Amino acid sequence: MTSSDSAQAAPQKAPAKDPWDLPDVSGLVVGVLGGTGPQGKGLAYRLAKAGQKVIIGSRAADRARTAAEELGHGVEGADNAECARRSDVVIVAVPWEGHGDTLASLREDLAGKLVVDCVNPLGFDKKGAYALRPEEGSAAEQAAALLPHSRVTAAFHHLSAVLLQDPSIEEIDTDVMVLGEERADVETVQALAGRIPGMRGVFAGRLRNAHQVESLVANLISVNRRYKAHAGLRVTDV
C-alpha cells in the first residue's frame, strides 16, 4: 500500500456498544433506605425474590429486622447507617419530607456507593397530587448535592407499591426510567431492574432530567384514581 493509499484509508471505528448488553449484577448487595415503607419494602421483596442479596434500612434497627423477617428470601434488616455501609448499591425510598436530612446524615456511610434515588417530591390538596420542585431541581439532584462522594442515579419512580408487595403477582409489567451521569452506573441500575420479571430498565437521560420523571407520578396517581388501576409505563420502539 502506498502512502497515498494509507492517507485515503478510512480509520476503523470500534463497533457501537449494544445498549442492551448489561452487566451481571447478581453478586451485588442492595440496600434499601426506607425499606419498611410500602415502596421500599416492595422493591426489597422483588429484588430478593429474584435472587439479589438485600438489606433493608430504617431509623430503628428492630423495625427493619421485623420487616425483613416478614419479607423472607434472605432479606436482612439494619439501621440506615449499617445498611448503607454493607451495601454496594443503595436505593433511597424514604419519604420526601425526610429525604434531605436522611441523606445528609449518611454522607460518610454512602461515600463510594452507587445510590439510586426513587423519591417523588409531591404535594396533595383537594384537587389531588401535584409535583413539587426542590431548590436543586429534583430529589435526585438534591441527593447528588448532598452526597458529593457517591455516584447518584435515579430510577424506580413509577412502580406500584401494591403490585410490588403482592406475592400472587409473578411479573411487574413496566419499564423503569433510569437517569444518571455515568453510563456504567446507569447500566448497573438497568440490570438490577431487569432482574425483576416483567421489568426493564431504560436509559432516560442525565440527572438534570429527573424532575419530569419524578413529577410524572402525580399523573399516574390521577390515572389510578380514575380507572381503579395500578398503572405503570412502557417505552415503545426500543
Side-chain angles (χ1 to χ4, degrees), residues 19-102:
W20 298 111
D21 180 15
L22 301 174
D24 178 8
V25 295
S26 59
L28 297 179
V29 179
V30 178
V32 184
L33 303 179
T36 59
Q39 192 81 355
K41 200 171 183 180
L43 279 169
Y45 171 69
R46 290 291 166 175
L47 288 168
K49 188 178 180 182
Q52 210 72 37
K53 174 59 185 173
V54 176
I55 303 170
I56 59 175
S58 174
R59 287 177 297 177
D62 289 346
R63 186 180 177 195
R65 284 191 283 267
T66 298
E69 290 175 5
E70 293 172 357
L71 291 174
H73 298 284
V75 176
E76 293 185 42
D79 63 43
N80 282 330
E82 182 182 348
C83 172
R85 288 193 299 268
R86 292 178 56 195
S87 301
D88 302 303
V89 180
V90 180
I91 298 173
V92 181
V94 300
W96 166 242
E97 293 75 16
H99 181 265
D101 289 343
T102 298

Side-chain angles (χ1 to χ4, degrees), residues 10 12 16 28 42 49 60 74 94 103 106-107 119 149 152-153 182 225 238:
Q12 294 295 314
L28 297 179
K49 188 178 180 182
V94 300
L103 295 185
L106 297 171
R107 183 179 288 116
V119 175
H149 304 297
V152 176
T153 60
E182 300 294 335
R225 288 181 174 174
V238 293

